[in-house]
Amino acid sequence: MSALAAAKRLRKELQALQKADENDPHIYLKHDPENLMHWEAWIKGPTETAYEDGVFKLDIRCGMDYPLSPPTMKFVTKVRDFAVMTGAQSLPKHPCS
């Protein structure tokens, strides 16, 4: 897939987001007006967790083969969580368990 096709797909997704009646109040997305392949997101921490009052910024980059390959996302806000820091799918088993 070409960069042109990826940008076309992202424009279509952006239009769908702008037309959506119900935006999630816990997520805010913004694209770079100079580069549609670069986005930023802010997410609110889930309620009843240690992250409840937090707002976390992410940097999102879509490659030329989007949507065949997922975008890369990186937390800009420091997050103190083993799975997020290492990309682990699950936490390692505690040696005393």
Side-chain angles (χ1 to χ4, degrees), residues 81-90:
D81 185 288
F82 177 81
V84 171
M85 291 186 316
T86 64
Q89 296 296 316
S90 60

Side-chain angles (χ1 to χ4, degrees), residues 7-97:
K8 182 179 177 181
R9 171 68 182 260
L10 284 166
R11 271 192 294 283
K12 182 179 177 181
E13 291 180 9
L14 176 60
Q15 289 174 347
L17 280 170
Q18 291 170 336
K19 290 180 183 177
D21 290 336
E22 295 180 23
N23 289 322
D24 188 333
H26 295 97
I27 301 171
Y28 174 76
L29 288 168
K30 178 182 147 195
H31 74 283
D32 180 343
E34 301 293 320
N35 181 3
L36 195 57
M37 309 298 271
H38 181 215
W39 292 65
E40 293 178 323
W42 289 264
I43 57 174
K44 290 184 180 180
T47 57
E48 299 182 18
T49 70
Y51 305 107
E52 182 171 13
D53 293 324
V55 176
F56 304 92
K57 183 178 178 183
L58 292 97
D59 181 69
I60 304 169
R61 306 234 175 212
C62 299
M64 287 191 256
D65 55 351
Y66 179 83
L68 299 176
S69 294
T72 58
M73 292 192 283
K74 176 183 165 188
F75 275 92
V76 176
T77 306
K78 290 191 180 204
V79 177
R80 303 266 190 252
D81 185 288
F82 177 81
V84 171
M85 291 186 316
T86 64
Q89 296 296 316
S90 60
L91 295 174
K93 191 170 185 171
H94 191 277
C96 297
S97 313

